[in-house]
Amino acid sequence: MEQLPARDVPLIQPLLRWLRGQPPPLDDPCWHRAVQALPWVRGLDPAQQQTLQTLAARFLQQKTITALGGLVLDDIDRVQLAALCCLPLLEFGAGGLRGWSQLLVYPDAFRVRRSHLDAAGVLHEWDDTLAGEAWDSGPLILSWADVQADIADPASGFCVAVHEMAHKLDALNGQADGSPPLPGAWQRTWTRDFQHHYDALCWRVEAGKRTRIDGYAAQSPEEFFAVVSEYHFSAPDVLAEAMPEVAMHLDKLYGRPPRLF
């Protein structure tokens, strides 16, 4: 029996992709329908869009997306979520997906129970209402309503999917400290520049002064990194004016920010 060329053997390409760990490509019409609603993706250049499409396919292969609280997500919604979560990986690559397997999506902001044992041994408990959360080695959690609000106002300085993915990148080096894993020399300049701007922001917030960057970034170095990551994609000009050194680091980490208008 004559052997057929590999390209003519039914199912051979999907099998080879599986053996090599490569995700099946996203259906182009589905991809284009999904990203037409995402201003940040429309603002990328063609090469960046192609990279993002490949990363989103890997995301959908590796992650389980679970809708909670009666929320129903269709294929377009899932592709949009994958694309948004992969925006911070355009330069970093698929290695940024390591260490977790689930994306949980609530219909709206969700409540979590917090507790803290202070130095006097007193336990404090309270409820937080969140738009998103990222566990160090667990799921990434998003509010669908907040994702949609970000899409509707893409230049507001907010993008909860990017914020939580920044936390995932931060955790890759084993600790949440406001820095993803970086080569040694870059790590040193990153730490110096981020610490300088973080300290300056904390001083302004504590003094009750106006800040160009959302004051929530003063909560901790890891929240600072996550918030400025949002600004890179949704208000890059504001970030560049307020914190030029931070903006330069994020241009290197994430690539050129999208052109929104």
Side-chain angles (χ1 to χ4, degrees):
M1 179 178 176
E2 182 181 1
Q3 185 175 4
L4 292 173
R7 65 178 179 275
D8 295 326
V9 179
L11 302 181
I12 192 67
Q13 292 303 326
L15 176 60
L16 289 174
R17 281 196 299 269
W18 179 80
L19 290 172
R20 296 169 184 163
Q22 296 177 2
L26 288 175
D27 176 66
D28 279 342
C30 179
W31 169 256
H32 291 304
R33 282 183 60 200
V35 301
Q36 276 304 304
L38 303 178
W40 306 286
V41 181
R42 294 199 311 268
L44 299 174
D45 65 37
Q48 288 176 312
Q49 290 193 23
Q50 183 59 55
T51 298
L52 186 65
Q53 185 174 355
T54 301
L55 287 166
R58 185 168 293 279
F59 185 99
L60 292 169
Q61 179 197 48
Q62 294 182 357
K63 311 301 180 192
T64 300
I65 301 176
T66 303
L68 303 172
L71 178 67
V72 177
L73 298 172
D74 61 23
D75 289 344
I76 299 296
D77 298 332
R78 292 171 184 273
V79 171
Q80 288 181 344
L81 286 165
L84 291 174
C85 287
C86 290
L87 275 174
L89 306 183
L90 284 168
E91 293 293 326
F92 197 94
L97 296 173
R98 288 188 290 109
W100 58 287
S101 61
Q102 289 193 78
L103 170 59
L104 307 179
V105 189
Y106 283 95
D108 212 325
F110 51 94
R111 297 180 70 185
V112 296
R113 188 69 172 166
R114 303 292 198 198
S115 63
H116 170 67
L117 189 66
D118 67 21
V122 177
L123 180 65
H124 303 269
E125 295 185 319
W126 69 97
D127 289 329
D128 263 351
T129 301
L130 304 177
E133 188 172 33
W135 298 7
D136 287 352
S137 57
L140 188 151
I141 310 170
L142 296 174
S143 155
W144 183 243
D146 285 276
V147 169
Q148 295 303 304
D150 293 341
I151 293 170
D153 192 6
S156 64
F158 297 102
C159 183
V160 64
V162 166
H163 183 110
E164 302 308 332
M165 279 299 297
H167 284 313
K168 286 297 188 183
L169 293 180
D170 191 355
L172 286 175
N173 58 10
Q175 56 183 339
D177 58 1
S179 172
L182 301 170
W186 186 8
Q187 185 76 67
R188 289 189 290 275
T189 57
W190 173 291
T191 300
R192 180 197 67 204
D193 294 337
F194 269 65
Q195 189 67 52
H196 168 74
H197 284 287
Y198 172 68
D199 290 344
L201 179 69
C202 289
W203 181 86
R204 293 191 68 84
V205 169
E206 290 169 3
K209 296 181 178 293
R210 178 180 175 272
T211 62
R212 298 290 307 280
I213 303 300
D214 187 352
Y216 182 72
Q219 290 285 318
S220 64
E222 55 266 33
E223 291 299 344
F224 180 80
F225 170 46
V227 169
V228 295
S229 294
E230 294 183 80
Y231 276 81
H232 171 82
F233 289 98
S234 59
D237 292 342
V238 173
L239 181 63
E241 291 173 6
M243 301 177 176
E245 294 85 5
V246 168
M248 286 189 291
H249 283 295
L250 295 185
D251 283 350
K252 185 176 178 181
L253 180 67
Y254 294 139
R256 297 183 306 277
R259 298 180 62 180
L260 296 178
F261 303 107

